[in-house]
Amino acid sequence: MNFILKKIICKRWPLCCLLFLVMACHSKSHYDNFISSKKDSIIEAKKINASLDSIYLQKKIVKSGDLILRTGKDFTSETFRKLSLKDKTYSHCGIASIEHDSVFVYHAIGGEWNPNQKLRRDPFEIFCNPFENRGFGIFRYTLNSKENKNLIYIVQKLYSAGIMFDMQFNLSSNDRMYCSEFVYKAVEQASQNKIILSTTTLNHIQFIAVDNLFINPACMKIKRVVFIK
């Protein structure tokens, strides 16, 4: 297990313990009935280790330009999943880039985990971590070498420009973008509109749902991973 994931564990386990204590203090009857055991801790540790192993294993097959998807556990993620009409598996997305033997994922995200609201560049391990996600997916667009290099150039240019998260989900603006819009516009621009991704319309509002990005003949599935529950 590398240094990055050790940091995740150190940060997340104390938080989980704190949340449990807070909940227990507000519900003594549930606390009285709760019995913790060493066996439970061992089982949970094995599940986490198995999930981390799967992240490391699949990271080896990721290529620059791949579409990386994840299934978040929080309420906001559940809401985003419901906006997909055909495949509600994933809640968030980004584009992978291999830089100096490390795999990073560029993605647009808002909320408390990204206070400055700017495009993020996170290590693959952090983006897919099992403490906040139920699983992840790796997909690949049918781009030639030139188009793929152009995709990475566009993604990194937007990141350097500090594009902000679009809280209004306005598809017509380019100075702010939400997660699936970021991928959608980068892929279409990189392919010079050779790849046209569909949009979703609900209540006369047009937007890019996460499943619009991978349910497309020009996007092939490389791997889907579901962490052990």
Side-chain angles (χ1 to χ4, degrees):
M1 190 181 303
N2 71 2
F3 175 72
I4 293 175
L5 290 176
K6 286 181 180 178
K7 287 181 67 178
I8 298 176
I9 293 173
C10 289
K11 290 173 63 179
R12 293 293 178 245
W13 278 115
L15 176 60
C16 292
C17 292
L18 178 60
L19 287 174
F20 171 75
L21 288 173
V22 171
M23 292 175 66
C25 289
H26 285 81
S27 182
K28 190 176 185 301
S29 60
H30 287 87
Y31 174 77
D32 290 338
N33 294 326
F34 180 82
I35 301 176
S36 180
S37 68
K38 183 177 180 180
K39 182 178 179 180
D40 293 330
S41 299
I42 293 174
I43 292 174
E44 188 62 28
K46 286 183 177 179
K47 289 179 181 178
I48 293 297
N49 286 333
S51 297
L52 296 177
D53 287 343
S54 68
I55 291 174
Y56 277 109
L57 178 64
Q58 303 310 325
K59 184 176 73 169
K60 297 177 182 179
I61 67 175
V62 174
K63 294 183 178 181
S64 288
D66 281 355
L67 170 66
I68 309 298
L69 302 150
R70 72 187 187 192
T71 306
K73 296 180 179 179
D74 60 285
F75 175 77
T76 302
S77 296
E78 293 298 323
T79 301
F80 274 110
R81 286 176 61 198
K82 293 177 182 178
L83 293 176
S84 293
L85 300 183
K86 296 181 179 179
D87 189 328
K88 301 180 184 295
T89 303
Y90 302 110
S91 58
H92 190 54
C93 55
I95 296 293
S97 176
I98 299 176
E99 302 167 14
H100 305 293
D101 297 325
S102 295
V103 181
F104 293 96
V105 180
Y106 290 81
H107 60 116
I109 190 170
E112 62 179 323
W113 296 108
N114 189 28
N116 68 12
Q117 306 291 298
K118 293 181 180 180
L119 278 179
R120 289 181 61 94
R121 171 182 175 269
D122 288 327
F124 182 78
E125 299 92 331
I126 299 295
F127 185 86
C128 300
N129 82 82
F131 297 95
E132 297 166 354
N133 299 287
R134 295 191 175 93
F136 64 93
I138 303 170
F139 289 75
R140 190 167 297 155
Y141 292 106
T142 54
L143 299 168
N144 60 39
S145 178
K146 181 180 179 180
E147 292 166 340
N148 204 62
K149 288 181 180 179
N150 195 27
L151 174 60
I152 299 303
Y153 170 77
I154 291 168
V155 164
Q156 292 178 343
K157 184 178 180 180
L158 291 172
Y159 173 75
S160 297
I163 295 296
M164 305 288 286
F165 186 79
D166 186 3
M167 296 297 294
Q168 302 299 318
F169 293 85
N170 182 4
L171 194 56
S172 63
S173 65
N174 292 318
D175 58 331
R176 291 176 175 267
M177 297 181 186
Y178 54 94
C179 64
S180 48
E181 177 189 6
F182 163 64
V183 174
Y184 170 89
K185 290 183 174 178
V187 169
E188 290 200 344
Q189 184 180 345
S191 68
Q192 295 184 328
N193 294 320
K194 181 185 77 175
I195 296 178
I196 300 296
L197 301 172
S198 61
T199 62
T200 295
T201 302
L202 288 175
N203 297 324
H204 306 292
I205 298 175
Q206 185 184 37
F207 61 95
I208 310 300
V210 175
D211 66 345
N212 290 140
L213 302 176
F214 63 91
I215 299 180
N216 188 290
C219 188
M220 60 180 175
K221 179 187 73 175
I222 303 300
K223 189 69 178 182
R224 287 181 184 252
V225 174
V226 178
F227 297 140
I228 299 173
K229 296 180 179 180

